């Protein structure tokens, strides 16, 4: 769902679980030995690192592959801060998460609703990170309180969506997240500049958002278990398409074996009934 070297957004309401999605992907990559950078404007190192361990990464993996920073002053405020800022863009990363876009803009003295301000921020920070580190950059953002005119956009100016070079996702809560419960989120594809995801997603809704994934976080056990599945509606669409394709082939070529039908239609043998 993410393009290397491009910028992305995942946005939803407060406590909708969007940071869990980003952190689950951090944990998955860290377990595989990929370096991940997490630029945090909303939480703290102990909380985020603790979540990664609960998501299955070892403490040793987190120490080696997880690079955490939490800026508290504007970049370039003094020489030390400028040096720290410059180090942000060194090294190679599989993923960079910027958690808390509104707070990041505030730290810079920029307005979230000002398109020119956001374009300046985007070029100087997330897009530069993507270009210089090769990472898929994921911005964790909020949406407006009003559901009537929210549409597919994050809170603020339209430049937030326009500036993305990858994809944008809207998060909706199906079942709430938390320790001790099983949470479910739906991810809707709101933008796909790369063009490879539209064909894998479902039908557009009235806000031009396509269902593309269901994120499950099961917190009922000792470790948090994560699954990313096709959304139920999309799976039903695909099942209907497979069924139609099989019926059409069998009507044209009756009496063929299951293996032949699978080979000729490009459908898995297990799905050929």
């Amino acid at each position: 769902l993410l393009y290397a070297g491009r910028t992305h957004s995942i946005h939803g309401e407060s406590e909708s679980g969007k940071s869990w999605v980003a952190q689950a992907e951090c944990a998955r990559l860290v377990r595989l030995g990929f370096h991940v950078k997490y630029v945090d404007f909303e939480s703290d190192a102990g909380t985020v690192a603790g979540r990664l361990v609960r998501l299955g990464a070892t403490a040793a993996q987190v120490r080696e592959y997880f690079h955490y920073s939490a800026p508290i002053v504007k970049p370039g405020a003094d020489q030390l801060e400028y040096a720290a800022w410059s180090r942000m863009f060194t090294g190679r990363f599989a993923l960079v998460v910027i958690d808390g876009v509104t707070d990041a803009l505030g730290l810079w003295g920029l307005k979230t609703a000002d398109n020119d301000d956001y374009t300046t921020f985007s070029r100087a920070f997330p897009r530069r990170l993507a270009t210089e580190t090769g990472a898929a950059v994921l911005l964790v953002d909020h949406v407006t309180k009003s559901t009537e005119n929210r549409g597919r956009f994050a809170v603020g100016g339209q430049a937030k969506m326009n500036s993305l070079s990858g994809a944008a996702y809207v998060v909706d809560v199906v079942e709430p997240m938390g320790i001790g419960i099983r949470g479910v989120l739906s991810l809707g594809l709101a933008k796909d500049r790369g063009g490879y995801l539209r064909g894998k997603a479902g039908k557009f809704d009235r806000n031009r958002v396509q269902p593309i994934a269901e994120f499950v976080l099961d917190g009922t056990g000792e470790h948090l278990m994560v699954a990313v599945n096709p959304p139920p509606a999309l799976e039903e669409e695909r099942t209907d398409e497979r069924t139609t394709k099989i019926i059409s082939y069998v009507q044209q070529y009756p009496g063929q074996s299951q293996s032949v039908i699978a080979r000729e239609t490009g459908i898995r043998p297990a799905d050929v009934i």
Side-chain angles (χ1 to χ4, degrees):
L1 299 177
L2 301 174
Y3 295 97
R6 299 194 183 191
T7 56
H8 311 76
S9 173
I10 182 168
H11 45 275
E13 295 180 354
S14 180
E15 294 190 38
S16 61
K18 51 193 180 292
S19 291
W20 277 111
V21 177
Q23 290 157 7
E25 180 64 359
C26 288
R28 185 185 74 85
L29 291 168
V30 163
R31 291 200 309 269
L32 294 174
F34 291 99
H35 288 273
V36 170
K37 181 184 289 289
Y38 202 95
V39 189
D40 194 358
F41 294 92
E42 291 200 344
S43 187
D44 60 83
T47 298
V48 177
R51 283 188 174 186
L52 264 61
V53 171
R54 292 214 64 185
L55 286 161
T58 66
Q61 289 170 333
V62 172
R63 283 193 296 269
E64 183 170 358
Y65 298 110
F66 188 65
H67 306 265
Y68 180 92
S69 62
I72 57 173
V73 296
K74 182 179 180 179
D78 55 42
Q79 288 186 342
L80 287 176
E81 288 298 330
Y82 182 78
W85 169 251
S86 298
R87 287 194 296 272
M88 284 266 197
F89 307 98
T90 60
R92 303 293 291 180
F93 297 91
L95 175 68
V96 174
V97 176
I98 301 173
D99 196 346
V101 175
T102 299
D103 285 352
L105 287 164
L107 193 69
W108 282 51
L110 302 175
K111 297 178 181 179
T112 190
D114 189 305
N115 286 317
D116 289 339
D117 274 5
Y118 190 81
T119 300
T120 298
F121 169 80
S122 177
R123 289 175 177 171
F125 195 23
R127 297 193 74 161
R128 184 182 170 192
L129 279 169
T131 300
E132 297 193 18
T133 71
V137 175
L138 180 61
L139 296 106
V140 182
D141 206 351
H142 295 281
V143 293
T144 61
K145 292 181 179 179
S146 173
T147 59
E148 294 182 0
N149 56 10
R150 177 184 301 166
R152 61 195 179 102
F153 298 94
V155 64
Q158 191 170 341
K160 281 188 171 183
M161 183 75 77
N162 294 344
S163 67
L164 296 175
S165 58
Y169 299 97
V170 180
V171 176
D172 284 312
V173 178
V174 180
E175 299 289 343
M177 300 284 181
I179 306 301
I181 59 177
R182 181 181 181 274
V184 180
L185 307 177
S186 67
L187 300 184
L189 182 64
K191 177 178 179 174
D192 178 26
R193 178 159 291 179
Y196 290 94
L197 298 169
R198 290 293 187 196
K200 302 179 184 299
K203 297 178 180 178
F204 281 103
D205 65 13
R206 62 185 180 86
N207 293 317
R208 293 174 55 206
V209 175
Q210 295 172 268
I212 194 167
E214 183 181 76
F215 178 86
V216 180
L217 181 69
D218 190 342
T220 59
E222 180 180 355
H223 289 285
L224 299 172
M225 304 299 293
V226 171
V228 181
N229 306 314
L234 181 56
E235 190 60 29
E236 289 174 8
E237 287 178 27
R238 290 175 177 171
T239 299
D240 290 343
E241 290 173 3
R242 289 193 295 262
T243 301
T244 301
K245 197 171 185 178
I246 292 168
I247 290 173
S248 177
Y249 180 83
V250 170
Q251 286 176 338
Q252 188 173 0
Y253 304 102
Q256 300 296 325
S257 67
Q258 181 179 356
S259 60
V260 171
I261 295 171
R263 184 182 69 244
E264 296 300 319
T265 60
I267 296 170
R268 294 185 313 164
D271 292 331
V272 179
I273 301 173

